Amino acid sequence: MTIIRQGSLFDLQELYNLEPTQRFEAIFSSIDIDPIFAVVTKKSRFGRPVKLNYAAMIYSLVARITERISFIKDLVKRLQNDMIFRLDCGFLVSDTIPSEAAYSRMVTILSESNVLEKVQGTLLHQAISEGFISDDTVAIDATHFLAKDGAPPKEEQPKSEPKKRGRKSKEEYEKWLIEKAELEANLPLFDKKIEDQLDIPLADLRAEIPQDPQWGVKKNSEGKNVFWYGFKAHLAVGTSSQYILQSLLSSANLNDGKAAIPLLKGIHERISLSSLLYETMDAGYDFEAVYTQIHRMGHRAVIAYNKRNEPEPIGFDKHFAPTCVREHSYRYDSFEVKYETLKYTRPNECKDCPLANDALCQKVYKVKITTDLRKFTAPARGSQTWKKIFKRRTAVERVNAYLKGYFQLNNVRYRTGKKAKVHFDLVTLVYNASKLAADRLNQMLNQQQVA
């Protein structure tokens, strides 16, 4: 494939400006479809003979996303009327064009398998081995998208009996505690507290995440609640490479923080990237269990603090840096990795202070981050390094915009959560494949310029 470009580097936009044949060839070569082909092909020699080109059908589903074809019926029509597009997808002239029902059966088969996640993992390991992913920071965030159908009518909730006024007797209180404990024990995993996820295996977490469309709510830029019916896409993105390292689809009503631990465990167990050190998130992920999981991974959390009506800390400022007797903040100096200790030095205002040599005003202040992982982070909250790393979080917002603007994340055409997940997995797979294709083309151009 000969592509002549001069001057600028390749990005996703330039990849999409290529001729379709060149673009398809670059993206298709980034995806190992053999595992998908093995799942969707007919397993028995009995029954109706196979007349469909399954490999070309898989490629055509990828092409549907890159070409922004809204409906499967439009994809079928395009295959019937556009010979070049048909050949680009891998169909032979003699091949039968698949019907909408054939594509529907393929999506149903894929919805019962996690093969798209495995292909995604293979692609990421290939990108790492080729040197395109070498991030030290991962940004995690969620974005919403609508379901195909409108929300069902709300069911009327039965009126509960009025609560009895007055204090419970000892027997009633003990009975109430037992009933409450039994109720909490029988809750689905993602209805429990976030800390209950810490010791659950990754496979179980991913298997139990709710995926049916539900009502979700978020605050807009004006601080008002906005409601939608559908799903949430949870992404963990490399802030430098902008590859999607882990992804999850959930019901819209799932709290963002409850998807953090499955994403973090996925990074730890499925991505062999030794350069990773930081995970950065907004205040919606400010939970003790999230910090604990990051600490278990040997990484460092850079998460915005959510005050939650907590009292003002005594002896510390708003960034939890220690303060002197006159309430001047100590300056963050360094982090001692071996002892997991933050080191602070005396404030500048204390140079001419009469208490400078007093025992109450110490020159150096040290605090272990394990004292409170949420408050004492490394680097320290409010420091220039912390702010610099936190700004990298915009990478995940940029990827969310790409998925909605270029890769049809908003265009879900399935009613069930399982099939919606197939669409979501295809979208993230095609995005990463496009990134890998653009990086390879960029590398080739650089080598040509050097030569």
Side-chain angles (χ1 to χ4, degrees):
M1 178 175 63
T2 303
I3 302 172
I4 300 175
R5 295 268 174 164
Q6 295 180 1
S8 62
L9 300 179
F10 253 89
D11 58 14
L12 285 179
Q13 182 60 53
E14 290 198 58
L15 178 68
Y16 272 72
N17 289 338
L18 295 176
E19 291 296 323
T21 300
Q22 296 173 322
R23 182 168 67 250
F24 292 151
E25 183 178 347
I27 295 174
F28 292 166
S29 63
S30 303
I31 302 174
D32 177 19
I33 72 161
D34 289 343
I36 307 175
F37 182 78
V39 168
V40 300
T41 49
K42 187 178 176 182
K43 303 296 187 296
S44 173
R45 62 187 179 87
F46 299 103
R48 187 176 180 179
V50 177
K51 296 182 180 179
L52 298 176
N53 187 337
Y54 287 108
M57 287 178 69
I58 297 168
Y59 284 134
S60 65
L61 287 177
V62 173
R64 174 187 168 235
I65 293 173
T66 61
E67 291 291 282
R68 302 167 198 163
I69 301 173
S70 299
F71 302 96
I72 293 294
K73 67 177 181 181
D74 293 333
L75 173 63
V76 173
K77 188 181 296 185
R78 176 84 177 268
L79 289 170
Q80 291 173 341
N81 300 330
D82 190 338
M83 178 62 72
I84 296 177
F85 178 73
R86 188 191 315 172
L87 296 175
D88 286 341
C89 291
F91 288 99
L92 302 177
V93 176
S94 58
D95 283 336
T96 302
I97 301 300
S99 63
E100 292 181 59
Y103 279 106
S104 179
R105 288 192 293 270
M106 174 178 281
V107 170
T108 301
I109 294 172
L110 291 175
S111 69
E112 301 298 329
S113 168
N114 62 349
V115 66
L116 293 177
E117 293 179 17
K118 294 180 180 178
V119 174
Q120 180 82 276
T122 302
L123 188 151
L124 287 171
H125 286 296
Q126 185 64 34
I128 292 171
S129 66
E130 294 182 26
F132 298 129
I133 302 179
S134 56
D135 301 86
D136 66 347
T137 306
V138 171
I140 293 178
D141 203 358
T143 187
H144 73 279
F145 56 102
L146 304 178
K148 176 184 177 182
D149 297 330
K154 293 183 178 180
E155 298 179 359
E156 292 186 4
Q157 298 293 334
K159 293 183 179 180
S160 58
E161 295 182 1
K163 295 182 179 179
K164 295 180 180 179
R165 293 187 178 184
R167 196 170 184 177
K168 292 183 176 70
S169 65
K170 184 178 179 180
E171 292 77 13
E172 288 177 333
Y173 182 71
E174 291 177 351
K175 181 181 178 182
W176 175 80
L177 286 177
I178 294 172
E179 291 176 352
K180 183 181 178 182
E182 291 178 350
L183 182 63
E184 290 179 352
N186 294 325
L187 286 174
L189 177 58
F190 283 88
D191 287 340
K192 296 179 180 179
K193 295 179 180 179
I194 296 179
E195 49 264 32
D196 291 332
Q197 299 179 15
L198 285 170
D199 298 320
I200 304 296
L202 174 61
D204 294 343
L205 287 173
R206 295 190 70 100
E208 294 193 35
I209 191 165
Q211 294 177 344
D212 291 329
Q214 297 290 342
W215 277 104
V217 60
K218 68 171 185 175
K219 288 189 180 295
N220 61 14
S221 57
E222 299 176 354
K224 297 180 180 179
N225 287 335
V226 178
F227 297 88
W228 82 94
Y229 182 77
F231 308 95
K232 271 186 182 178
H234 305 269
L235 304 179
V237 174
T239 57
S240 177
S241 65
Q242 293 189 25
Y243 279 84
I244 300 173
L245 302 183
Q246 285 292 292
S247 59
L248 281 173
L249 175 132
S250 77
S251 304
N253 61 351
L254 185 74
N255 182 281
D256 291 358
K258 291 188 175 181
I261 290 179
L263 291 173
L264 291 168
K265 287 191 174 186
I267 292 170
H268 185 57
E269 297 180 20
R270 297 182 175 181
I271 305 297
S272 55
L273 191 59
S274 59
S275 59
L276 284 180
L277 183 58
Y278 303 105
E279 275 80 22
T280 180
M281 312 169 210
D282 62 26
Y285 297 87
D286 183 35
F287 294 95
E288 186 69 35
V290 177
Y291 292 89
T292 301
Q293 176 61 37
I294 293 173
H295 185 257
R296 287 182 179 181
M297 295 163 58
H299 293 181
R300 304 178 193 172
V302 180
I303 304 174
Y305 187 72
N306 190 347
K307 193 174 179 181
R308 297 197 188 96
N309 296 321
E310 295 173 356
E312 292 291 337
I314 300 174
F316 297 89
D317 66 10
K318 64 179 181 180
H319 297 303
F320 303 102
T323 57
C324 68
V325 177
R326 293 189 171 185
E327 297 188 354
H328 296 302
S329 299
Y330 276 68
R331 294 175 296 163
Y332 171 65
D333 180 82
S334 60
F335 175 65
E336 298 178 5
V337 178
K338 182 178 180 180
Y339 301 104
E340 296 187 321
T341 301
L342 297 172
K343 180 183 177 182
Y344 294 87
T345 57
R346 179 180 286 171
N348 289 329
E349 294 86 349
C350 294
K351 289 180 180 178
D352 302 323
C353 179
L355 298 175
N357 296 321
D358 194 277
L360 296 175
C361 190
Q362 58 194 81
K363 292 182 179 180
V364 176
Y365 194 103
K366 294 185 178 182
V367 58
K368 277 185 165 291
I369 62 171
T370 50
T371 304
D372 191 328
L373 291 172
R374 182 167 165 248
K375 294 179 180 179
F376 303 112
T377 63
R381 290 186 180 278
S383 65
Q384 292 298 319
T385 306
W386 190 95
K387 293 177 181 178
K388 181 180 178 181
I389 295 171
F390 185 71
K391 286 181 180 178
R392 299 174 188 170
R393 196 186 60 82
T394 56
V396 68
E397 297 174 351
R398 197 173 301 116
V399 172
N400 284 336
Y402 270 129
L403 295 185
K404 290 183 176 181
Y406 292 93
F407 295 91
Q408 300 197 70
L409 180 60
N410 276 329
N411 185 32
V412 176
R413 296 295 168 183
Y414 306 106
R415 289 183 171 87
T416 64
K418 280 189 174 182
K419 290 188 176 181
K421 184 178 181 298
V422 173
H423 174 80
F424 172 71
D425 287 343
L426 271 174
V427 165
T428 55
L429 176 62
V430 174
Y431 169 83
N432 276 347
S434 299
K435 280 289 299 176
L436 181 55
D439 286 342
R440 285 173 172 173
L441 290 169
N442 194 25
Q443 185 182 63
M444 180 184 69
L445 288 174
N446 288 335
Q447 291 173 350
Q448 289 176 354
Q449 290 175 0
V450 172

